[in-house]
């Protein structure tokens, strides 16, 4: 069997990529922060080679920006970034509601409500709430049985979480997120498409407004 050996730096690169991106999304490293390769290398316990590869991948994906003779910085969240992502969310999550409501049964409704219970149980952990919020919307997309729609929403999940943390930093409360999810679930249980769309859009628009308000300050 002719197989190539796995290069260890590649494995370290992937781990470094995931850890740095998680720190950015969770606001452990805030937008605009300068990244020190030495500090990151020490914190992650890896050499500079896989770290540089991880930073290159993060730059390609738009998470960080390398500025000649200055350094590497976490990208700032711009109004355009937020607007584009939320335009996609509004259009696609309304479609999710239209597709999934005719397919709902007691088992799937029970699973949705379990997700909601976990959300309420974790209401004191901002990052966990943001993660569960994303999982909730992804699960609804999965229930739509449209694989491409589910994948499209999944591809944007990291940005959903990053912007969700930005919304909380801007003043949106965890209780608001929980209440908005409760309204969505109530509409789903009633199989009321119009009410479910309204609840989803209110949830998205409130989050968008929280982030935009902060960006304008």
């Amino acid at each position: 069997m002719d197989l190539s050996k796995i290069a260890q730096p590649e494995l370290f690169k992937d781990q470094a990529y995931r850890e740095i991106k998680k720190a950015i999304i969770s606001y452990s490293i805030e937008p605009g922060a300068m990244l020190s390769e030495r500090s990151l290398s020490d914190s992650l316990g890896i050499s500079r080679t896989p770290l540089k590869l991880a930073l290159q991948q993060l730059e390609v994906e738009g998470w960080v920006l390398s500025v000649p003779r200055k350094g590497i910085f976490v990208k700032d969240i711009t109004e355009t970034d937020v607007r584009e992502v939320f335009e996609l969310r509004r259009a696609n999550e309304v479609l999710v509601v239209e597709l999934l409501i005719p397919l709902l049964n007691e088992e799937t409704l029970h699973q949705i409500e379990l997700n909601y219970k976990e959300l309420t149980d974790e209401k004191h952990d901002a990052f966990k709430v943001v993660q569960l919020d994303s999982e909730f919307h992804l699960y609804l997309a999965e229930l739509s049985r449209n694989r491409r729609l589910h994948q499209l929403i999944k591809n944007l999940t990291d940005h959903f979480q990053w912007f969700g943390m930005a919304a909380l930093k801007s003043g949106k409360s965890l209780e608001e997120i929980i209440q908005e999810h409760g309204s969505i679930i109530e509409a789903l249980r009633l199989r009321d498409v119009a009410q479910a769309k309204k609840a989803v859009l209110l949830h998205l628009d409130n989050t968008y407004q929280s982030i935009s308000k902060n960006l304008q300050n």
Side-chain angles (χ1 to χ4, degrees):
M1 186 179 292
D2 187 17
L3 295 175
S4 299
K5 289 185 178 179
I6 296 173
Q8 234 182 11
E10 281 298 309
L11 175 61
F12 291 154
K13 183 267 287 186
D14 292 339
Q15 293 173 335
Y17 162 82
R18 287 193 297 270
E19 285 300 312
I20 297 169
K21 185 163 72 169
K22 179 182 176 182
I24 293 171
I25 291 170
S26 67
Y27 266 63
S28 296
I29 305 175
E30 297 199 356
M34 182 176 175
L35 299 177
S36 162
E37 288 190 14
R38 175 177 294 178
S39 178
L40 288 172
S41 178
D42 290 344
S43 296
L44 294 166
I46 60 173
S47 69
R48 297 284 185 89
T49 299
L51 176 61
K52 286 179 183 293
L53 292 171
L55 291 171
Q56 287 170 7
Q57 184 175 347
L58 288 164
E59 183 166 20
V60 168
E61 294 181 8
W63 294 98
V64 303
L65 180 65
S66 178
V67 181
R69 296 183 296 280
K70 290 188 177 181
I72 300 172
F73 299 84
V74 176
K75 284 196 70 176
D76 287 314
I77 296 174
T78 69
E79 179 67 33
T80 299
D81 293 332
V82 178
R83 176 178 52 77
E84 289 179 350
V85 168
F86 274 83
E87 283 174 350
L88 288 171
R89 288 198 69 172
R90 288 180 106 264
N92 288 291
E93 294 197 30
V94 163
L95 178 57
V96 164
V97 167
E98 291 177 350
L99 294 176
L100 79 87
I101 284 185
L103 303 172
L104 286 174
N105 56 43
E106 287 305 310
E107 182 181 346
T108 52
L109 280 167
H110 178 65
Q111 186 59 48
I112 290 168
E113 287 167 349
L114 286 178
N115 178 286
Y116 180 68
K117 183 181 183 304
E118 189 175 1
L119 190 69
T120 59
D121 290 344
E122 298 288 350
K123 64 183 178 181
H124 300 298
D125 184 335
F127 186 53
K128 186 65 176 177
V129 166
V130 168
Q131 286 181 308
L132 290 169
D133 175 76
S134 291
E135 289 174 15
F136 174 83
H137 291 279
L138 267 176
Y139 182 58
L140 296 188
E142 183 181 348
L143 293 177
S144 75
R145 297 185 188 172
N146 184 315
R147 290 180 294 108
R148 288 177 174 80
L149 180 60
H150 177 255
Q151 187 61 51
L152 192 154
I153 292 175
K154 186 176 181 180
N155 291 343
L156 293 168
T157 293
D158 288 339
H159 282 87
F160 292 173
Q161 293 183 4
W162 194 30
F163 296 163
M165 289 299 295
L168 293 174
K169 292 279 184 180
S170 304
K172 187 174 177 69
S173 73
L174 296 176
E175 288 294 339
E176 278 183 292
I177 294 174
I178 291 167
Q179 289 171 7
E180 288 162 3
H181 277 231
S183 297
I184 294 168
I185 292 170
E186 181 182 354
L188 294 178
R189 182 159 282 285
L190 293 170
R191 272 74 164 182
D192 188 326
V193 175
Q195 186 177 327
K197 285 182 182 179
K198 183 178 178 181
V200 165
L201 290 176
L202 180 64
H203 172 53
L204 296 176
D205 290 345
N206 284 347
T207 304
Y208 178 76
Q209 290 302 323
S210 295
I211 302 168
S212 294
K213 188 187 301 181
N214 185 59
L215 291 174
Q216 291 164 8
N217 291 338

